[in-house]
Amino acid sequence: MRKGTKLFLELIALLCSAVIAVPLYFIIVNSFKTKAEAADLSLKLPTDWNIIENYRNVFESAQIPMAFWNSLVITFFSVLFIIVFCSMSAFVIQRRDSKLTRIITQILVVGLILPGSIITTYYVMDFLNLVRTYAGVILLFIAGNYALMTYLYISFLQGIPKELDEAAIIDGSGKYRLFFRIIFPLLLPVNASVLILAAMTVWNDFLTPFYFLNTADRYTLSLAIYLFFGQKSADWNLVFSVIVIVSMPVILLYMFMQRFIIAGMTSGAVKS
Amino acid sequence: MLKKQYYSYSLLVPGMLIFTVFFLVPALMSFYFAFTNWDASFTVTRHVGFDNFKTLFENEENVLAFKNTFIFAAVTSFFKVFLGLLLAILANQMIKSRLILRSVLFFPVILSSVAVALAFNAIFHPGKGLLNTALRSVGLDSLAMSWLTDPSIVIYSVAFVEIWKFTGMSMVLFLAALQSVPQDVIEAGKIDGASPLKMFRYVTLPMLKPVLNTNIILSVIGGLKVFDLVYALTGGGPGNSSSVINTLVYKSFATGRNGEGTAANLVLFLIVLITVLLLNKIINRNTSR
Amino acid sequence: MKRSKMKKSLMLLTVFAMVFALAACGGKDNDTGNDGAVNGSGEEAVTIKAIGHTTWFIQGMEAVMVEAKKQGFNLEIEKVPDGSDGENLMKTRFATNDKPDLLFYQSAITQSAGFGNPEEVFVAQDDQPWMQNFDKVAWKNLMDSDDNLQDDVESHWYGAPYGGANTGMVLYNKKLFAELKLEIPTNMDEFWAVSEKIKSAGKTPVFLSGKDAWTVQLPVLMSNATQETADLIAKINVNQAKVTDLEDSKTGMKFLQELMSKGMVNDDVLSATYDEAQKALSEGEAGMYLMATWVMNEIVTKYPEGVNDIGAFIMPYKGEGKDLAALWQPWSMYVVKGPKQDAVQEFVNWFEQPEIQDIFFSNQGGIPAIKGVTKTKLTPAEVDAKKFLDAGQGLGNVPYPPLYNYNVNLPTLSQELIIKGGKTPEQVLEAQQKELETAAKAKGDPNFK
């Protein structure tokens, strides 16, 4: 690449980043201000840094530590099962061309489109005695994300050549070994994407815990935040502090996972 | 036939089981109620045939909601896919700022809709909001608008926020696919002296096709089914000016007209289904050519 | 081959073990949640599970709870958010038979409220001892439940009053009025003259919090507090009159539009929130705000320094003292039928005693509906409001119970009145009439065939 083009591209990249970054900076900087100063909604640095008071206020009134733990447990198990179950399903659906798999593919597309229904879901959950349980909410998150995530795995699996399976089978792999030892590791980039997507969906969703987990000691972070907004919407500084607190874990997760997404594992596998 | 047993259906069972019991069955079950006078107490006293659908389309406000939904889906899908692809290519170049681009663009995807909506309510504030303040400070007073309260532009403002939030998502999907373009093919192309444009047209683009299709379909579905962001940003208002099908559904349920709500849900489902089937057809025709 | 088979069964086992382990620990949690009913043999040990909106349980109830604990009542309140999300949650619980023992909700619940048929779900309060301290005549049509609305059938009382009554009025900043030497307007001409003066002093005459749609409907609801409207609603119920005949409603709607066209409102009306209104009014940046007195509870906690500057007068739509203050009845507590209903009723009877009401109202504003309450904590605005009520100058904001709630979309429709290219008052009333007809037809009402 020529130096001029490169510089030009660098500039464009920075500009695009800035468009995205300004609102983010706006949230963060205003979470540091006093109530009066934050009310101006400006980008200026605070004249009066109010960080500790704001965050302590939020932590206490929104019961953050407990909600944080609840969110963590629910998100961890939901995402774990989503990754395992969806990749397993996608593998069979993509590799095997039978009447059943074709029907299932259609069902998945329908599942992507189908609007969820809270009331009838509540009937089912009540029937199975799962209302107000962690297990129930986790199962709902798996079910709710299943179609989309399986779909993502399928489209990614199309890029992994079947010859690989054949080679593994000739090497004497059984079917579970084939999937978990050979294919699953190749899915790392898409696993990373699914992980981050599922984690953020589950983490940010408040309607599911709202309807199905609504007991005071099981509030998730998103739910605690939602309730907090209902009460203190006028204090912008606190509102923005809350946003920072609830978003931070997923942002950290993304920064950690990023290199796996970018690793580009498939090409290496094909070569060998 | 040796192959079949290696792709055993048993791998499908746990996922499909949970999906069927906890999503598919309840969702399909609800459609029955679209043909009843399901009321606020969730009791059914009468089957009303297609009455719910009739009231749905008789109401001019509802027609606006349908129109808005299509505008929103079209505008956001186009920009999300197009900008996402451009940015993925940019982020795949050997430039220094690519890492910044990759991280920063994905941050909004991670934020909850409620958080984003709060921030943009502040940014779009007509009087003291960041956007209008900036426009005025560079002398573009005439461009400073009531972004979220002018009925004629509000749906586009909401669409902008959706694009702002989700372009990073489509970028990452493209990027993952770009990364999986085999290095030896690229190297071979370079040795052959193919121009970057040609490389893109004949090597990269075909490899991107599956992800491109996925991206288009997911964006369209997401656009037609949008709820969170509209609800949190404007609540469908002012008045009904930014209402979409899903805020309509929400309002029906909130006002105790559950039969009408499920009817609207069913219509939305059919609209998305038909759109996806059509899109699939177009895409498949193009690929087979 | 053998190995792979073993692996397969192991795998499947693990998956199912995981699913069942999850399901099992779920089940256990659920059981422990219900143990109140199991140990409920001794009266003292009964846990009363209540549900209600978060903002309903503030200083007054907190103080009562302390006393309740001493008396051996074990009340567990589940607080759900205000607004339709929270309401839906409560209705879902009732629809799936996952009911609380005590429900805190709006008064005058009917079948269309979404909790089932009140007769089957709630314990009637008609003959409970607390009724002796309650004026049935004054609260008729506001707090009783009458699904048929036939005059020959006695209605029933299911809700016991919770919290105070409120009135919708013009809340005004007394300090600003004094500074500008303004008198309380007694007719619309005076009202606009006052507004003009406030405007020329550089302040906002009337604050309109257009972003929170529900607040925009208040001027319309206030105009509804007339006997004429009450008579019309009775006719509308049987399809002998139409919503479009509600002239008083139209007055309120026209007023909203005039406010806008005359420029007597704040900047950026549609971005302004309920919160900002409270701030502007209490700081004297705005002269008037048309709102119900419940806003004073919020101003007390958020802008306490301005509380004493705020007074209240009746919106002079008709003038010459003919106007009435729009009344909002207190909320209600409903005893849910079930194994614990006796214990819950005991709590309600205890709560409605004047001595306990004293505890409630000495900690929080609101006008009590139970007679014999001696201790109250009213802000100056509420004192003004109470004077009108005591003089009999009050009527329900919906002065007669409508069979079908044509007001469900009034918040958005009111917004439509003030946006660019929105609706005219006539169009809004037509939309409401259509709303009513749809609801009636869905029910299969013979009058609307």
Side-chain angles (χ1 to χ4, degrees):
Chain A
M1 228 185 306
R2 265 182 295 139
K3 221 170 181 181
T5 345
K6 204 164 183 173
L7 203 69
F8 177 68
L9 289 179
E10 297 271 8
L11 265 171
I12 300 249
L14 286 175
L15 196 73
C16 292
S17 307
V19 170
I20 301 292
V22 167
L24 300 176
Y25 165 79
F26 172 77
I27 294 173
I28 295 169
V29 80
N30 277 294
S31 79
F32 295 159
K33 294 180 185 172
T34 58
K35 184 177 167 175
E37 222 179 323
D40 290 339
L41 303 176
S42 77
L43 277 179
K44 284 187 210 112
L45 281 177
T47 48
D48 196 356
W49 294 78
N50 213 31
I51 306 176
I52 296 166
E53 294 90 290
N54 285 350
Y55 283 83
R56 199 179 51 209
N57 192 336
V58 171
F59 258 76
E60 280 163 7
S61 47
Q63 289 186 301
I64 298 286
M66 183 197 68
F68 192 93
W69 173 247
N70 291 338
S71 279
L72 207 62
V73 170
I74 291 170
T75 308
F76 176 80
F77 283 106
S78 304
V79 173
L80 178 72
F81 288 121
I82 286 170
I83 288 180
V84 174
F85 292 164
C86 293
S87 61
M88 279 172 18
S89 301
F91 179 60
V92 180
I93 296 167
Q94 200 273 323
R95 286 301 202 251
R96 194 164 170 172
D97 188 28
S98 70
K99 209 168 188 179
L100 185 69
T101 57
R102 259 172 277 152
I103 292 171
I104 290 178
T105 315
Q106 297 301 319
I107 293 178
L108 284 184
V109 174
V110 171
L112 271 182
I113 299 166
L114 208 56
S117 157
I118 285 167
I119 313 302
T120 41
T121 309
Y122 206 99
Y123 288 140
V124 171
M125 294 282 280
D126 203 42
F127 178 74
L128 296 173
N129 237 332
L130 286 169
V131 176
R132 264 162 284 159
T133 63
Y134 287 127
V137 172
I138 291 168
L139 286 165
L140 284 182
F141 277 127
I142 300 170
N145 285 290
Y146 180 77
L148 176 65
M149 298 307 168
T150 307
Y151 196 79
L152 282 182
Y153 274 115
I154 291 175
S155 74
F156 201 86
L157 273 161
Q158 288 167 349
I160 298 177
K162 266 190 175 179
E163 292 81 47
L164 227 114
D165 310 9
E166 276 154 23
I169 293 165
I170 291 164
D171 281 355
S173 295
K175 54 188 164 184
Y176 296 106
R177 192 185 151 80
L178 167 65
F179 178 72
F180 285 105
R181 286 288 164 78
I182 312 291
I183 302 296
F184 196 73
L186 291 181
L187 294 174
L188 194 58
V190 71
N191 277 342
S193 312
V194 168
L195 188 143
I196 192 79
L197 290 179
M200 105 205 169
T201 318
V202 175
W203 189 266
N204 287 332
D205 182 301
F206 79 87
L207 273 183
T208 311
F210 178 69
Y211 278 98
F212 299 100
L213 202 69
N214 205 329
T215 61
D217 55 343
R218 299 220 185 122
Y219 280 167
T220 60
L221 204 49
S222 55
L223 193 51
I225 291 331
Y226 174 80
L227 297 178
F228 183 82
F229 284 144
Q231 286 159 32
K232 304 225 168 148
S233 64
D235 306 348
W236 282 104
N237 54 339
L238 300 185
V239 167
F240 289 126
S241 308
V242 158
I243 296 176
V244 172
I245 292 173
V246 75
S247 315
M248 217 25 110
V250 223
I251 288 190
L252 290 176
L253 182 70
Y254 173 68
M255 289 171 81
F256 176 71
M257 295 305 297
Q258 203 184 20
R259 60 202 176 98
F260 294 106
I261 301 176
I262 286 153
M265 296 292 288
T266 4
S267 53
V270 174
K271 257 194 220 163
S272 60
Chain B
M1 285 308 99
L2 177 88
K3 291 195 91 174
K4 263 192 195 163
Q5 86 183 61
Y6 283 95
Y7 307 129
S8 158
Y9 286 137
S10 59
L11 287 168
L12 261 174
V13 172
M16 277 306 283
L17 188 74
I18 296 172
F19 174 66
T20 309
V21 173
F22 292 96
F23 184 80
L24 212 51
V25 168
L28 292 174
M29 217 158 83
S30 76
F31 287 148
Y32 157 78
F33 296 104
F35 303 94
T36 66
N37 67 340
W38 208 26
D39 65 10
S41 303
F42 304 102
T43 46
V44 171
T45 52
R46 247 155 35 87
H47 289 257
V48 296
F50 285 90
D51 278 9
N52 286 330
F53 297 88
K54 242 169 67 195
T55 26
L56 202 61
F57 289 109
E58 270 172 6
N59 199 331
E60 55 180 305
E61 268 125 43
N62 298 352
V63 176
L64 177 68
F66 281 91
K67 199 181 124 200
N68 276 341
T69 308
F70 292 125
I71 294 177
F72 184 87
V75 172
T76 56
S77 301
F78 176 77
F79 282 102
K80 275 196 272 184
V81 173
F82 184 67
L83 292 176
L85 180 59
L86 287 185
L87 287 166
I89 294 167
L90 188 60
N92 202 33
Q93 302 296 322
M94 279 301 150
I95 53 173
K96 283 197 194 98
S97 25
R98 71 179 194 279
L99 282 178
I100 301 175
L101 196 64
R102 282 172 186 177
S103 337
V104 171
L105 249 95
F106 203 73
F107 287 159
V109 181
I110 298 164
L111 297 182
S112 79
S113 298
V114 183
V116 170
L118 281 165
F120 273 92
N121 255 312
I123 291 167
F124 280 152
H125 193 284
K128 53 187 179 176
L130 204 56
L131 183 56
N132 281 354
T133 315
L135 286 172
R136 288 191 194 107
S137 71
V138 292
L140 291 169
D141 293 53
S142 58
L143 283 180
M145 287 195 256
S146 305
W147 302 103
L148 290 175
T149 51
D150 183 341
S152 52
I153 58 168
V154 58
I155 192 69
Y156 298 99
S157 304
V158 179
F160 172 82
V161 180
E162 168 92 1
I163 296 164
W164 178 85
K165 186 171 183 332
F166 284 112
T167 298
M169 161 100 177
S170 108
M171 180 195 82
V172 165
L173 286 177
F174 280 125
L175 200 56
L178 280 175
Q179 299 285 323
S180 66
V181 175
Q183 279 302 315
D184 43 2
V185 178
I186 295 172
E187 275 152 30
K190 273 185 192 155
I191 292 164
D192 289 351
S195 74
L197 215 64
K198 268 202 172 136
M199 285 283 292
F200 180 75
R201 173 72 186 81
Y202 295 103
V203 180
T204 318
L205 203 59
M207 293 289 290
L208 284 181
K209 207 123 212 181
V211 179
L212 181 67
N213 296 347
T214 310
N215 240 334
I216 291 175
I217 288 181
L218 290 183
S219 303
V220 171
I221 295 178
L224 291 171
K225 281 177 76 176
V226 65
F227 173 70
D228 292 33
L229 198 66
V230 179
Y231 185 70
L233 255 177
T234 65
N240 285 302
S241 48
S242 64
S243 61
V244 290
I245 302 179
N246 254 333
T247 57
L248 184 74
V249 171
Y250 183 84
K251 215 170 90 182
S252 302
F253 278 105
T255 53
R257 286 159 161 202
N258 296 340
E260 217 177 296
T262 40
N265 239 345
L266 182 54
V267 172
L268 174 61
F269 169 63
L270 292 175
I271 289 175
V272 184
L273 188 66
I274 292 166
T275 316
V276 169
L277 290 178
L278 282 176
L279 269 177
N280 251 329
K281 212 164 199 176
I282 296 167
I283 288 166
N284 284 338
R285 200 178 353 152
N286 281 343
T287 355
S288 59
R289 230 192 297 163
Chain C
M1 216 40 207
K2 231 182 188 173
R3 238 184 94 193
S4 90
K5 216 174 210 171
M6 207 179 81
K7 265 204 166 159
K8 170 189 166 186
S9 16
L10 258 179
M11 216 298 300
L12 270 178
L13 251 168
T14 328
V15 168
F16 282 102
M18 281 193 290
V19 173
F20 280 103
L22 277 170
C25 71
K28 229 190 280 160
D29 289 350
N30 216 27
D31 288 347
T32 47
N34 283 338
D35 63 0
V38 182
N39 322 332
S41 48
E43 233 176 88
E44 300 297 309
V46 176
T47 303
I48 299 172
K49 294 206 162 178
I51 197 166
H53 288 303
T54 315
T55 58
W56 292 22
F57 306 103
I58 49 176
Q59 301 93 327
M61 193 56 178
E62 273 164 22
V64 172
M65 290 284 275
V66 174
E67 192 60 31
K69 204 156 216 171
K70 283 187 213 152
Q71 297 293 316
F73 292 111
N74 196 358
L75 193 62
E76 236 175 56
I77 302 176
E78 186 181 329
K79 295 169 189 172
V80 302
D82 294 70
S84 47
D85 284 327
E87 279 187 19
N88 275 350
L89 177 68
M90 291 194 259
K91 290 173 192 171
T92 313
R93 292 280 175 82
F94 276 80
T96 50
N97 227 354
D98 183 13
K99 294 176 198 160
D101 308 316
L102 182 63
L103 169 73
F104 291 84
Y105 196 69
Q106 310 285 349
S107 293
I109 235 172
T110 60
Q111 187 145 17
S112 58
F115 293 90
N117 184 354
E119 208 179 316
E120 290 158 19
V121 183
F122 302 116
V123 177
Q125 302 290 307
D126 303 358
D127 306 315
Q128 291 299 331
W130 67 263
M131 274 281 183
Q132 290 166 359
N133 291 322
F134 180 76
D135 188 349
K136 278 195 193 184
V137 181
W139 295 105
K140 171 99 184 134
N141 290 339
L142 287 170
M143 292 196 69
D144 55 338
S145 303
D146 191 346
D147 257 311
N148 302 309
L149 290 172
Q150 290 160 335
D151 291 332
D152 51 332
V153 181
E154 259 297 292
S155 64
H156 290 285
W157 302 78
Y158 293 103
Y162 173 75
N166 286 284
T167 55
M169 313 189 79
V170 183
L171 301 172
Y172 71 107
N173 191 295
K174 292 192 276 193
K175 219 163 139 188
L176 185 68
F177 267 53
E179 260 171 45
L180 302 176
K181 300 191 178 65
L182 299 173
E183 295 285 320
I184 290 174
T186 58
N187 57 43
M188 286 315 285
D189 289 339
E190 288 179 30
F191 183 89
W192 293 121
V194 163
S195 302
E196 195 61 58
K197 278 182 195 148
I198 300 176
K199 194 182 178 185
S200 44
K203 307 278 181 180
T204 302
V206 178
F207 200 97
L208 212 48
S209 40
K211 179 149 174 61
D212 291 313
W214 70 269
T215 66
V216 188
Q217 65 178 338
L218 265 286
V220 182
L221 290 173
M222 285 180 208
S223 68
N224 276 339
T226 65
Q227 195 52 51
E228 290 86 342
T229 305
D231 298 342
L232 271 169
I233 294 176
K235 283 187 189 157
I236 289 170
N237 279 342
V238 288
N239 203 16
Q240 283 168 3
K242 298 208 179 310
V243 182
T244 41
D245 299 333
L246 292 173
E247 283 301 322
D248 293 320
S249 248
K250 208 189 273 177
T251 308
M253 294 178 187
K254 279 189 178 148
F255 168 72
L256 269 176
Q257 292 193 316
E258 266 186 278
L259 269 181
M260 297 296 286
S261 62
K262 290 189 167 146
M264 293 300 175
V265 289
N266 42 305
D267 293 337
D268 308 322
V269 163
L270 291 163
S271 302
T273 64
Y274 182 46
D275 251 322
E276 288 166 16
Q278 295 164 24
K279 190 167 182 241
L281 179 68
S282 57
E283 288 173 357
E285 278 307 307
M288 298 180 273
Y289 184 44
L290 277 75
M291 188 34 68
T293 44
W294 56 62
V295 69
M296 296 312 298
N297 269 334
E298 303 213 19
I299 294 180
V300 165
T301 48
K302 286 193 279 191
Y303 308 101
E305 58 289 340
V307 169
N308 291 326
D309 297 337
I310 301 172
F313 60 86
I314 299 179
M315 181 67 197
Y317 281 123
K318 291 179 191 276
E320 276 102 59
K322 277 193 253 163
D323 296 280
L324 300 173
L327 185 62
W328 267 265
Q329 62 273 51
W331 297 315
S332 280
M333 309 176 7
Y334 296 92
V335 179
V336 180
K337 282 188 178 167
K340 291 192 230 167
Q341 69 182 56
D342 292 338
V344 180
Q345 186 64 56
E346 203 179 306
F347 169 76
V348 169
N349 291 342
W350 174 81
F351 177 85
E352 300 293 2
Q353 299 173 83
E355 306 85 74
I356 307 302
Q357 293 286 301
D358 273 343
I359 300 177
F360 188 97
F361 286 103
S362 57
N363 284 286
Q364 178 181 328
I367 301 157
I370 294 289
K371 287 184 278 187
V373 178
T374 50
K375 294 176 192 155
T376 53
K377 191 187 177 191
L378 298 179
T379 57
E382 288 168 296
V383 172
D384 287 352
K386 192 168 183 296
K387 266 184 245 156
F388 293 111
L389 281 194
D390 291 344
Q393 285 179 286
L395 194 65
N397 71 87
V398 181
Y400 190 81
L403 208 43
Y404 305 102
N405 185 3
Y406 58 85
N407 273 343
V408 275
N409 284 327
L410 191 57
T412 8
L413 288 170
S414 309
Q415 254 183 350
E416 291 275 358
L417 289 166
I418 57 170
I419 61 176
K420 216 163 64 180
K423 286 189 160 62
T424 64
E426 287 77 16
Q427 286 170 325
V428 167
L429 289 168
E430 264 161 43
Q432 289 189 292
Q433 172 67 19
K434 216 164 159 186
E435 182 85 42
L436 175 129
E437 282 170 17
T438 314
K441 277 180 191 151
K443 265 266 151 59
D445 189 324
N447 286 326
F448 288 83
K449 275 277 145 66

